Amino acid sequence: LVSCTKRTKTPKSELAVCRYVLLLAELEAHQDAWPFLRPVKLKSVPGYKKIIKKPMDFFTIKEKLINNMYLNQENFVIDVNLVFDNCQKFNEDDSEIGRAGHRMKRFFDKRWTELLH
Ligand SMILES: Cc1ncccc1N[C@@H](C)c1ccc2c(c1)OCCO2
């Protein structure tokens, strides 16, 4: 992830990046991840483009991670929570995607807390 020649990152933040990569892999492997793996196709989901101002998905987060775009952990958590907030905004709680979103959020919150201690 972080090329050895670039000494721009302190070891601490390299550990943080590894934590994000691990956690993201767990999110993508989760059985309820299917609605969040790739960007929502704005042409095929009526209303999504208008209602959701900042679309986000796990693949986009992975790309940002690989391109070192998360300078601090907050921005990583902000993007992950954006996936779940968008889901709650657009989908009924009592819907396939809505329920998947709630389960994924609970899983993420639990793992994030565990990885921090
Ligand atoms: C996270 C989310 N929120 C609102 C709408 C869609 C989605 N996900 C897309 C990938 C998606 C998920 C499921 C689908 C689909 C697209 O289009 C065809 C029918 O099933």
Side-chain angles (χ1 to χ4, degrees):
L1 273 173
V2 181
S3 64
C4 302
T5 51
K6 257 195 303 175
R7 289 274 169 253
T8 52
K9 282 190 168 299
T10 60
K12 190 165 69 68
S13 74
E14 276 177 13
L15 185 67
V17 171
C18 297
R19 190 182 289 133
Y20 305 158
V21 169
L22 172 74
L23 198 40
L24 194 56
E26 290 181 2
L27 288 176
E28 290 175 317
H30 195 286
Q31 69 169 14
D32 293 315
W34 55 272
F36 316 108
L37 293 172
R38 291 281 184 283
V40 177
K41 288 186 179 56
L42 302 180
K43 292 182 204 57
S44 56
V45 180
Y48 201 83
K49 185 170 169 39
K50 179 91 178 101
I51 294 167
I52 301 300
K53 301 307 177 197
K54 291 168 71 177
M56 188 48 66
D57 64 280
F58 294 159
F59 186 78
T60 303
I61 292 174
K62 182 150 69 178
E63 280 185 328
K64 287 178 75 169
L65 198 52
I66 288 168
N67 299 323
N68 265 326
M69 289 170 69
Y70 291 118
L71 298 180
N72 60 48
Q73 65 187 31
E74 255 325 288
N75 295 341
F76 174 75
V77 178
I78 286 168
D79 273 356
V80 173
N81 284 321
L82 188 54
V83 174
F84 304 136
D85 295 343
N86 290 344
C87 181
Q88 287 185 34
K89 184 171 187 181
F90 192 86
N91 302 283
E92 295 292 330
D93 287 343
D94 186 23
S95 67
E96 275 299 306
I97 299 178
R99 269 189 300 279
H102 285 294
R103 285 197 293 264
M104 287 305 297
K105 176 169 176 45
R106 251 195 327 270
F107 174 76
F108 175 73
D109 289 347
K110 174 174 165 292
R111 286 297 291 139
W112 179 256
T113 314
E114 286 166 357
L115 279 180
L116 279 187
H117 301 135

